[in-house]
Structure formats: C-alpha cells, structure tokens
Amino acid sequence: GAGVSQSPSNKVTEKGKDVELRCDPISGHTALYWYRQSLGQGLEFLIYFQGNSAPDKSGLPSDRFSAERTGGSVSTLTIQRTQQEDSAVYLCASSLITSGSGDTQYFGPGTRLTVL
Amino acid sequence: GDSVTQMEGPVTLSEEAFLTINCTYTATGYPSLFWYVQYPGEGLQLLLKATKADDKGSNKGFEATYRKETTSFHLEKGSVQVSDSAVYFCALPSSGGSYIPTFGRGTSLIVHP
C-alpha cells in the first residue's frame, strides 16, 4: 500500500518568505508527527497530532512555525518569514496508536528546505 | 525524562567487517526499543524492534538484544555490506502518557568495498 508522502521534495526560498510543506500520512493512521533534521544532526520533534485531540506543539521552535491537520488526514507545516537557520530536512511520520507498548512510525522521504 | 544515548559516528568499516553500534537508554518502566535506518536521501524506516527484556530483534542480518540489566540495545551485524551504509537511530517509543518517541542522535555507518 501507499506509504507516507511529502511535497515538495525540495524547496528553495528567499529569507523572509513563507513556505508550506505538505504531508499525506498512511490511510487510517491516527497519529501524525513533524520532525526537523538539520545537517548532521538527529531528529528534532516539532508537533504531534492524534485524532481530533488538540495537537502537542511543544517542539515548535518559534511562533513562526505552525501546523494544521485537516479531516484527520493531510497535514501542512507552515513557516512564516523564513530564516536561514530554518534550512533543514523536514520529516513527517504517521503511526497507528494502539494501547500497546510501542508503535512503529512510518516516515515520509522528507522535504529539503533551503533558505537563501 | 526518557533519553537515548548512541555512540558517535561516523563508523567506517571495510566490507565483511563486524559491526556494533552501542545504544543505552533511560526510561520509566520497560518500554519497547527500536532501531531505525535512514538511507541517503530517504526518510527513516524501521529496521528491528524488541518489545520486552531479553527479546532479540532481527532483520536483514542485523540483531539487537534488549538488556534490562544494562539498559542497552546494541545493534550488531556479523558481516556488513556497502549497501548497509546509512544512518542508524536507536529509539524509545512514547511512555508515561506521552506519544512522543525519543530518538538517539544517529550513528553514520560508512562501508568501503
């Protein structure tokens, strides 16, 4: 079946512009995560959506970052007034949350954002 | 809070060499443990997992044993191939009511022919 897809795969923008990154999770997965991966760094958690609950935004680095998830499916991460330090790969992951002791995350290929 | 510590890379090996990537963790209770792999230009994908103490996860020739007494989950492979070149992440799933997993910083593996 289809995996997690992200678009665009690459985005080059100028400092100060707004960008939108899209994530299509696996159908039926109730949980959706956004992460940021800077060059040579690990994963930085940004935001988490679960069903119709309020999202956990505790990882968003500033108020320039926001995200929404429409209809419990597609999600959009928006970065306003981009800065050069926003340059990174943005990864989306989805999972099927169960009551068990650990759920596998399924990752998309990422969007590589370059801010000039 | 939960944490995962991985050995720093890059790890550089010749083909057919033995691989160990160390991972230790701090967590509440006895969570499942995961290894993810990220090939160049791709997202992460699950490599293997173990759900309880003394379990051994295995896949594609890689193995890791859940050691409760040493809070470790070291990744091993007896004979690496060039195609194993990637970044490997040790991870704890969510715990304590949070559904946010904890990832290690990743270890880059480079295998030369």
Side-chain angles (χ1 to χ4, degrees):
Chain A
V4 178
S5 61
Q6 292 186 244
S7 61
S9 55
N10 281 284
K11 177 70 177 179
V12 180
T13 190
E14 294 180 348
K15 178 181 173 181
K17 300 286 188 183
D18 297 352
V19 295
E20 286 188 351
L21 312 180
R22 177 187 169 105
C23 172
D24 283 90
I26 292 173
S27 177
H29 279 192
T30 55
L32 187 147
Y33 304 77
W34 283 98
Y35 297 91
R36 179 167 68 177
Q37 187 175 31
S38 301
L39 186 63
Q41 301 297 310
L43 294 177
E44 177 186 6
F45 165 75
L46 297 177
I47 188 168
Y48 158 68
F49 295 89
Q50 166 58 9
N52 295 321
S53 302
D56 183 334
K57 305 178 183 179
S58 60
L60 294 179
S62 77
D63 58 8
R64 296 186 297 104
F65 288 73
S66 63
E68 63 178 21
R69 188 178 185 190
T70 54
S73 181
V74 172
S75 177
T76 302
L77 176 69
T78 301
I79 308 174
Q80 296 179 309
R81 304 181 303 281
T82 52
Q83 304 294 313
Q84 288 182 331
E85 58 264 29
D86 299 334
S87 296
V89 175
Y90 289 82
L91 293 168
C92 174
S94 70
S95 68
L96 184 61
I97 295 292
T98 68
S99 59
S101 60
D103 301 290
T104 300
Q105 295 208 315
Y106 296 84
F107 284 81
T111 294
R112 180 174 298 279
L113 174 65
T114 303
V115 182
L116 302 177
Chain B
D2 294 353
S3 67
V4 174
T5 303
Q6 285 182 239
M7 61 187 290
E8 290 194 20
V11 173
T12 304
L13 296 173
S14 298
E15 206 165 25
E16 299 184 2
F18 184 85
L19 168 71
T20 299
I21 299 178
N22 291 336
C23 171
T24 56
Y25 67 90
T26 303
T28 303
Y30 304 106
S32 298
L33 296 168
F34 295 74
W35 277 101
Y36 286 84
V37 58
Q38 184 178 31
Y39 297 105
E42 299 182 10
L44 282 69
Q45 58 185 270
L46 180 69
L47 178 60
L48 55 83
K49 71 177 185 180
T51 58
K52 61 183 187 295
D54 299 325
D55 262 5
K56 177 185 285 187
S58 61
N59 186 25
K60 299 182 180 180
F62 289 88
E63 294 183 339
T65 301
Y66 189 150
R67 301 289 188 195
K68 183 178 65 175
E69 61 277 7
T70 54
T71 60
S72 65
F73 193 53
H74 304 322
L75 183 68
E76 297 182 335
K77 186 174 186 182
S79 177
V80 294
Q81 304 300 311
V82 172
S83 57
D84 294 327
S85 298
V87 181
Y88 293 81
F89 293 88
C90 186
L92 281 174
S94 51
S95 66
S98 162
Y99 288 101
I100 301 167
T102 302
F103 286 85
R105 291 178 60 85
T107 302
S108 175
L109 170 65
I110 301 168
V111 181
H112 294 294

